[in-house]
Amino acid sequence: MVERGPVLRFDPMRTLGIWLARKPWRWQSASLGARADRLRRQRSFAAAIPLYQQYLATRTDHATAWMLFGHCLKENRQLAEAGQAYAEAVRLDPRNPDALEAQADFLKASGRHNEAQATLLAADKLGGGA
């Protein structure tokens, strides 16, 4: 007779509890991010800005959210803050061609053509559609 080790049973409630305990902010931040994205798509940029700020307070590492936050700030004419948001997106994920292209577009609109060109070249090397 073959001796077997203990039988491991999957307990979904225990797994869910562990998962939620590790990241208690997950549900709240996901809701904030979704609401901010919806407002941005509706072109309600001023209304989306505080939601992105709340979201990014808990998810400081989300590069795409920083980029989208930058879009809202730019459309709301908060250009210095938009530049900082784009720079943070690129700092967090320097291999994200979308973030690089967004930063390059912002730099070009700001009259910083040499920096914009270098950023577009970096995005192009990563497969961006620049």
Side-chain angles (χ1 to χ4, degrees), residues 14-28:
R14 181 175 182 274
T15 303
L16 180 63
I18 291 169
W19 185 74
L20 288 174
R22 288 185 182 158
K23 298 186 180 183
W25 46 261
R26 183 180 297 270
W27 294 110
Q28 181 185 14

Side-chain angles (χ1 to χ4, degrees), residues 42-122:
Q42 293 171 352
R43 303 188 61 76
S44 298
F45 302 112
I49 289 171
L51 294 177
Y52 275 120
Q53 288 171 325
Q54 291 175 19
Y55 176 78
L56 290 167
T58 58
R59 291 292 313 273
T60 58
D61 62 335
H62 194 173
T64 301
W66 279 104
M67 178 186 67
L68 298 174
F69 178 49
H71 291 337
C72 292
L73 291 166
K74 179 179 73 170
E75 293 294 332
N76 206 43
R77 308 274 193 268
Q78 296 175 321
L79 301 181
E81 294 87 351
Q84 292 170 353
Y86 288 132
E88 183 66 10
V90 172
R91 185 191 70 76
L92 288 169
D93 190 2
R95 300 195 49 80
N96 182 340
D98 293 331
L100 287 166
E101 288 176 7
Q103 185 181 37
D105 182 51
F106 176 78
L107 291 169
K108 180 181 171 191
S110 300
R112 297 161 59 184
H113 298 287
N114 291 338
E115 293 174 75
Q117 185 176 15
T119 305
L120 276 177
L121 288 173

